[in-house]
Amino acid sequence: MMQNIWKELKKAPLTAWFGMVVIAIYIFVSIFAGVLAPYGETDPVGFEYEPWGGDFLLGTDNLGRDMFSRLLYGAQNTVAIAIVTTLLAFFLGGVLGLLAASLGGVLDQVFSRIMDVLMAIPQLIFALLLLTIFGTSLINMVLVIAVLDSTRVYRLARAVAMNIVVMDYVEVAKLRGEGLWWQIRHEVLPNAMAPLVAEFGLRFCFVFLFIAALSFLGLGIQPPTADWGSMVRDNATLITFGDITPLLPAAAIALLTVAVNFVVDWMLHRSSGLKD
Amino acid sequence: MHPILKMTLQRLGLGLLTLFVVSLIISGAVEMLPGDLAQEILGQSATPEAVAAMRKQLGLDLPWHERYLAWLGDTMTGDLGQSLASGREISNLIGTRLGSTLFLAGLAAAISVPLALTLGIMAALYRNSLFDRGVNVFTLSAISFPEFFVAYILILFLSVQAGWFPSISNIGTDTSFFEQIFRTLLPAFTLTAVVTAHMMRMTRAAIINLLASPYIEMARLKGLPPNRIIVRHAVPNALAPIINVVALNLAYLVVGVVVVEVVFVYPGLGQLLVDSVAKRDVTVVQACSLVFAATYILLNLTADVLSIVSNPRLLHPR
């Protein structure tokens, strides 16, 4: 088992290796942010906009908080929130999609048409509309993005499951008198797992960028929580003086999405059986 | 009926239906407000009588379908109501801003579409070469970058260090046309970087898909040079998916302006939308969403229709 995994990994292209190493580093940093950070997440420890070096490795931000510490805590907050949101979207879209495929008929039609309409409105615009109505807060943002993103998961889960529910073994399970939930869990889900896992990576990137964009616009994760999107916004004025500090959180976002994309690209390539 | 006309009409009908449902959702936004619009305008301290009077003035005492029809009628005739926060006419607020946004999106499209097609065709021509791989890694990265990252990198290099462009695109009504183009270039470059990658990858994929077909093999066996095979034989058949993806990206462009406009303080519709969300100015958000959604749906519809029209099998039925 372990040997097989190692064999596959050895064949992975350089880009996939790069992606996996970067993801591992991010996971490490987000778990141990509290230990690694020299200062607290929200403590003003110096003057505003102090330069790099000295007591503060990457200087301080607009309120005199240590930039390096906030970057580390940002890994924790931003990544964790994005993962929770993606999981929620997958749970919602996955369950509805599998149900629609297994039950078919009117339910399938109703779900699918609702999803079509939701997908017809550009996501960012819809999210802004919903955030205006319910107010901008962390919980609202997570829920809104999860619901909007679940439409994409629904489409994929339904399409994949459609091909599985017509298989003989599902028919056998049905004749054996197994319940609907048992069929989905034991027959459909294991066979739909591979494409869903690859999709998880892609959706994570999308959700991650979406949250970053909303936070950058000041409508997502609220201060004083350290978050990469809002850190770019808060320190953006430094750019006009040629200081690259505000680019660091943005680069942190970009690096993670590139890494995940590289890994997903490799996984898709492998599962589609392309060998060129 | 000619099959192409029939399919086009079908898509048109479907698009109009979607537009109708979307307008229902957006007009319903006010219904979903905790409390109601009259309460929002007058604030918490208003007397019940004042709220009731306001409700009557806004027509909130009418049943919802009458209200929806009245709203739809007003919207169609260009009367979008008043801003909750400032009380100004929304149509005045939106008017010039919509023009600016379309100008920005148009400029970005004018740069990105030719660039993406050229790069895509070249990548297909020299596939698996160093050029192709380089472009592939580059585009995959560009897709994964947040827009504001691209924007600030461009500001840092082209505006702060090189000093070629202004970092803030403050255009007004009195700026001349060329000045306006010049000041819009930096945001347009940002949008270009974001959409070109996707279009280029699809162009390359669409052409490479075709290269395995027998008629390309035939052309190759005749001894035609590779660039002639691609340009004369492969591209015309790859046109349908390419046109489709171009239109889809144009739709994305109109929405993608939101973040870019905020970075460059560009006076467009996106900036207005973001400001209004922060102020919870529901009526303005409603109007902006409607404009954005309608543009998006219409462009998607165009993508659909164009990909049908450019399909030779449908154009010349047996």
Side-chain angles (χ1 to χ4, degrees):
Chain A
M1 180 66 188
M2 279 311 281
Q3 260 175 342
N4 275 342
I5 294 177
W6 181 241
K7 237 174 160 176
E8 279 297 331
L9 280 178
K10 266 210 294 207
K11 279 191 288 181
L14 213 60
T15 48
W17 266 106
F18 169 78
M20 283 184 278
V21 170
V22 170
I23 293 172
I25 294 174
Y26 272 76
I27 293 174
F28 177 79
V29 168
S30 49
I31 291 175
F32 294 105
V35 185
L36 294 170
Y39 299 97
E41 181 181 352
T42 54
D43 305 337
V45 288
F47 294 107
E48 290 114 59
Y49 299 130
E50 284 199 44
W52 290 20
D55 283 345
F56 312 108
L57 189 60
L58 298 176
T60 57
D61 71 356
N62 57 329
L63 295 177
R65 294 168 298 193
D66 182 44
M67 198 71 190
F68 179 62
S69 305
R70 278 180 73 77
L71 263 183
L72 296 182
Y73 279 109
Q76 210 168 35
N77 301 329
T78 317
V79 175
I81 290 170
I83 289 182
V84 168
T85 313
T86 319
L87 282 174
L88 207 60
F90 258 75
F91 179 72
L92 208 66
V95 167
L96 289 182
L98 293 176
L99 270 181
S102 313
L103 292 173
V106 184
L107 190 85
D108 181 24
Q109 283 297 322
V110 171
F111 280 171
S112 297
R113 292 299 82 77
I114 292 177
M115 295 295 175
D116 280 351
V117 171
L118 288 182
M119 283 173 85
I121 309 178
Q123 267 187 318
L124 182 62
I125 307 298
F126 207 168
L128 291 179
L129 181 70
L130 290 179
L131 286 177
T132 319
I133 298 166
F134 300 115
T136 48
S137 75
L138 180 62
I139 309 259
N140 284 348
M141 180 191 69
V142 168
L143 289 178
V144 164
I145 296 181
V147 168
L148 292 181
D149 215 52
S150 68
T151 54
R152 269 76 179 170
V153 183
Y154 169 86
R155 281 263 278 243
L156 182 82
R158 180 178 168 276
V160 173
M162 273 300 199
N163 290 327
I164 300 172
V165 289
V166 291
M167 292 288 173
D168 288 341
Y169 52 80
V170 180
E171 194 68 22
V172 170
K174 226 179 267 172
L175 289 176
R176 210 163 55 218
E178 302 287 1
L180 176 70
W181 190 237
W182 194 94
Q183 288 172 34
I184 291 180
R185 247 177 60 83
H186 291 261
E187 307 289 359
V188 180
L189 198 55
N191 288 300
M193 224 42 204
L196 283 180
V197 168
E199 179 74 3
F200 187 84
L202 289 179
R203 296 301 354 148
F204 169 78
C205 283
F206 190 84
V207 167
F208 190 56
L209 288 177
F210 202 177
I211 292 179
L214 282 181
S215 300
F216 174 76
L217 296 175
L219 308 169
I221 302 170
Q222 301 293 325
T225 311
D227 154 70
W228 289 336
S230 41
M231 281 166 75
V232 177
R233 168 198 176 85
D234 290 343
N235 301 298
T237 38
L238 283 181
I239 284 276
T240 44
F241 303 107
D243 187 339
I244 63 160
T245 315
L247 285 182
L248 293 176
I253 295 169
L255 187 62
L256 182 58
T257 43
V258 170
V260 174
N261 262 331
F262 277 157
V263 176
V264 169
D265 209 38
W266 169 60
M267 277 166 60
L268 284 177
H269 197 73
R270 229 166 48 86
S271 65
S272 67
L274 292 171
K275 294 284 182 254
D276 64 318
Chain B
M1 205 191 320
H2 198 280
I4 202 158
L5 196 65
K6 196 172 151 201
M7 280 186 87
T8 312
L9 284 179
Q10 264 176 0
R11 291 301 157 94
L12 272 174
L14 211 60
L16 288 179
L17 186 70
T18 322
L19 211 54
F20 168 71
V21 178
V22 167
S23 78
L24 267 182
I25 293 179
I26 291 178
S27 77
V30 174
E31 310 279 313
M32 287 191 277
L33 266 185
D36 70 12
L37 204 55
Q39 190 84 53
E40 284 291 311
I41 296 175
L42 296 171
Q44 290 298 328
S45 54
T47 59
E49 292 79 29
V51 174
M54 193 65 168
R55 284 173 65 91
K56 197 158 185 80
Q57 190 196 332
L58 289 170
L60 288 176
D61 50 347
L62 298 171
W64 70 268
H65 60 270
E66 277 180 40
R67 229 166 34 231
Y68 170 72
L69 286 178
W71 176 79
L72 196 64
D74 284 350
T75 307
M76 292 285 187
T77 51
D79 176 13
L80 294 164
Q82 280 137 10
S83 153
L84 273 190
S86 62
R88 289 175 58 190
E89 283 293 324
I90 296 177
S91 38
N92 289 346
L93 280 175
I94 286 186
T96 47
R97 279 168 177 269
L98 179 62
S100 305
T101 292
L102 290 180
F103 181 75
L104 171 57
L107 191 62
I111 302 171
S112 61
V113 173
L115 186 70
L117 293 188
T118 319
L119 281 178
I121 292 175
M122 274 170 69
L125 192 55
Y126 304 111
R127 61 195 165 281
N128 296 333
S129 69
L130 211 59
F131 169 76
D132 181 29
R133 277 183 207 170
V135 168
N136 193 29
V137 171
F138 184 76
T139 50
L140 198 57
S141 315
I143 292 175
S144 346
F145 280 8
E147 281 131 339
F148 53 84
F149 186 44
V150 180
Y152 281 125
I153 289 179
L154 288 180
I155 290 186
L156 182 68
F157 286 113
L158 298 183
S159 161
V160 177
Q161 292 193 348
W164 293 337
F165 298 101
S167 65
I168 288 178
S169 315
N170 50 340
I171 53 166
T173 42
D174 51 341
T175 33
S176 72
F177 182 67
F178 287 104
E179 183 70 18
Q180 198 177 349
I181 287 186
F182 173 67
R183 291 195 181 173
T184 315
L185 267 183
L186 216 46
F189 283 161
T190 310
L191 285 170
T192 303
V194 178
V195 291
T196 302
H198 191 213
M199 283 194 278
M200 187 238 120
R201 281 171 82 92
M202 290 301 283
T203 308
R204 177 182 177 276
I207 293 176
I208 287 185
N209 256 342
L210 279 174
L211 290 182
S213 36
Y215 81 98
I216 297 283
E217 179 98 44
M218 180 66 203
R220 203 176 289 142
L221 291 176
K222 276 198 306 192
L224 290 183
N227 52 359
R228 200 177 153 77
I229 294 178
I230 300 252
V231 176
R232 298 277 304 169
H233 295 250
V235 170
N237 271 322
L239 225 49
I242 292 176
I243 290 177
N244 197 12
V245 82
V246 166
L248 284 180
N249 274 285
L250 293 188
Y252 174 78
L253 213 53
V254 174
V255 180
V257 292
V258 175
V259 173
V260 176
E261 278 181 8
V262 172
V263 175
F264 290 96
V265 205
Y266 186 85
L269 206 54
Q271 179 102 44
L272 178 68
L273 178 60
V274 171
D275 288 346
S276 309
V277 175
K279 281 186 273 181
R280 290 193 78 177
D281 196 339
V282 186
T283 45
V284 177
V285 174
Q286 220 181 6
C288 290
S289 308
L290 191 68
V291 173
F292 272 122
T295 324
Y296 185 77
I297 292 172
L298 287 178
L299 278 168
N300 274 332
L301 187 64
T302 320
D304 261 6
V305 172
L306 280 180
S307 68
I308 295 172
V309 173
S310 59
N311 187 340
R313 287 188 195 86
L314 285 171
L315 265 182
H316 308 287
R318 280 182 223 187

